Amino acid sequence: MREVETLGGAWPFVPSVVALALAVGAVIVVGVRLARTADELADRTGMGEALAGALFLGGVTSLPGIVAAATGALQGDAAFALANPVGGVAVQSVWLAIADLIYRRANLEHAAASLENVLQALILVGLLSLPVIAYATPDLAIGWVHPVTIMIPILYVLGLGLVKRIREQPTWQPEQTSDTVEDEPDEPSDTPVRVLWTRLALFAVIIGVTGWVIGRAGLGVVAATGWPSSVTGFTLTTIISSLPELVTLIAAVRIGALTLGVANIIGGNVFDTLLIAVSDVFYTDGPVYAAAGASSLVLLGGTILITAILAAGLIVRDRKGIGFEGIALPAAYLGTAVVAVMVA
């Protein structure tokens, strides 16, 4: 690892903190508008909220994490680069527990019942298991990239195909209750579809730029405080870079697009596994997995646990309150961060 080179090129502490604060403001402003645009595109294209949430919201809101992970990898900080996508998956799952507090009518995972979201959670568990295999086989490499890195985008595309398939030909449906909110198209607005696509692209550019700022500022915090890169990436920078998911989730819940909001989180988490591949490609000193250290393996294991809890919540569907997952998700997140600090 090129730690000295990485820290030597970092921003000073105060500018880093200011930059992170400005990034927070940018993603909050854009996130609300993004949710409404994606909801209308889901209806106008016939794609449905679950798939549109995964592609439109999940993809766009993951851009800060993509740029932050690539920035850390290019700067030679393997732990920071790998912790950003893994931490993004973890903290975005916790956002669902927060949204449960806002949607008081019923448990959010119950109201937004969707077979597509359940399948995406299972796909996510599978994708997160691949870096664990890579961590245990550090000598395997094609050039400087581990073969697992090549498998991640392939399995991601195959997984999306399965999600599309079960939407078109569902084999079973969740039980409908009085608290279930179905994915039904809203009345279309007069806004041309091309304008909606233009807005989506503009929001993507703005959010992508904030990702670069978050990555550089996060490395500045690491340099100034000496806090472990993996823990900083798993907590501070991923909380900020994942704010678009939280803002769009809350906005989607408020406009009644519950399936879109939940799919934004789960689909965004599946998309974030691509960031793991990005980290390995941009880290040119060899496979990023072994170089990231033992704390990164803790983060991977904890995030798989968090995803399993979320999948269980989607299947069990507690009807009232925040549900068992509303307590278990933040507890598992905090526990993972504490153990990562202990081994860093």
Side-chain angles (χ1 to χ4, degrees), residues 14 20-21 27 150 181 196 223 229 283 314:
V14 173
L20 288 173
V27 298
I150 301 172
V181 178
L196 295 174
S229 297
Y283 184 79
L314 290 168

Side-chain angles (χ1 to χ4, degrees), residues 281-316:
V281 170
F282 281 86
Y283 184 79
T284 57
D285 284 355
V288 72
Y289 308 100
S295 61
S296 296
L297 191 59
V298 171
L299 301 182
L300 278 167
T303 303
I304 292 173
L305 173 62
I306 288 169
T307 306
I309 293 171
L310 175 55
L314 290 168
I315 295 171
V316 173

Side-chain angles (χ1 to χ4, degrees), residues 25-302:
V27 298
I28 289 176
V29 171
V30 173
V32 176
R33 292 165 174 78
L34 179 61
R36 296 186 179 277
T37 301
D39 184 37
E40 187 160 359
L41 277 172
D43 296 337
R44 300 281 286 275
T45 62
M47 187 175 292
E49 289 185 357
L51 192 55
L55 292 177
F56 299 156
L57 286 184
V60 173
T61 55
S62 292
L63 285 174
I66 294 175
V67 181
T71 300
L74 287 171
Q75 292 293 310
D77 196 324
F80 183 84
L82 189 58
N84 268 276
V86 176
V89 173
V91 76
Q92 285 154 203
S93 300
V94 176
W95 292 159
L96 285 172
I98 294 177
D100 258 331
L101 298 175
I102 296 173
Y103 188 73
R104 304 302 297 273
R105 287 180 52 193
N107 178 268
L108 185 60
E109 285 77 14
H110 177 99
S114 165
L115 179 57
E116 296 104 303
N117 283 336
V118 173
L119 178 58
Q120 286 194 97
L122 297 176
I123 292 169
L124 178 57
V125 170
L127 287 170
L128 286 172
S129 69
L130 294 177
V132 178
I133 298 172
Y135 191 95
T137 55
D139 296 330
L140 291 180
I142 300 174
W144 68 85
V145 175
H146 197 284
V148 158
T149 297
I150 301 172
M151 292 176 60
I152 289 175
I154 294 174
L155 294 182
Y156 172 79
V157 173
L158 292 175
L160 284 184
L162 289 176
V163 173
K164 183 175 184 292
R165 175 178 159 188
I166 64 169
R167 173 174 174 77
E168 296 173 348
Q169 300 175 336
T171 53
W172 62 268
Q173 294 287 347
E175 179 185 357
Q176 303 298 302
T177 70
S178 59
D179 292 317
T180 304
V181 178
E182 297 187 38
D183 175 9
E184 296 181 353
D186 300 320
E187 287 296 324
S189 68
D190 296 329
T191 307
V193 174
R194 68 176 184 277
V195 174
L196 295 174
W197 284 116
T198 302
R199 287 179 186 172
L200 189 71
L202 177 61
F203 295 152
V205 170
I206 295 172
I207 290 178
V209 171
T210 63
W212 177 81
V213 173
I214 291 167
R216 294 292 303 180
L219 289 170
V221 172
V222 171
T225 63
W227 195 245
S229 297
S230 60
V231 178
T232 302
F234 188 76
T235 55
L236 177 63
T237 58
T238 52
I239 288 174
I240 295 175
S241 64
S242 297
L243 281 175
E245 281 87 353
L246 176 61
V247 174
T248 53
L249 170 62
I250 293 175
V253 168
R254 289 192 179 281
I255 64 176
L258 303 186
T259 302
L260 180 75
V262 175
N264 162 42
I265 297 298
I266 301 176
N269 285 351
V270 176
F271 189 90
D272 277 355
T273 59
L274 296 177
L275 279 63
I276 297 173
V278 168
S279 298
D280 194 25
V281 170
F282 281 86
Y283 184 79
T284 57
D285 284 355
V288 72
Y289 308 100
S295 61
S296 296
L297 191 59
V298 171
L299 301 182
L300 278 167

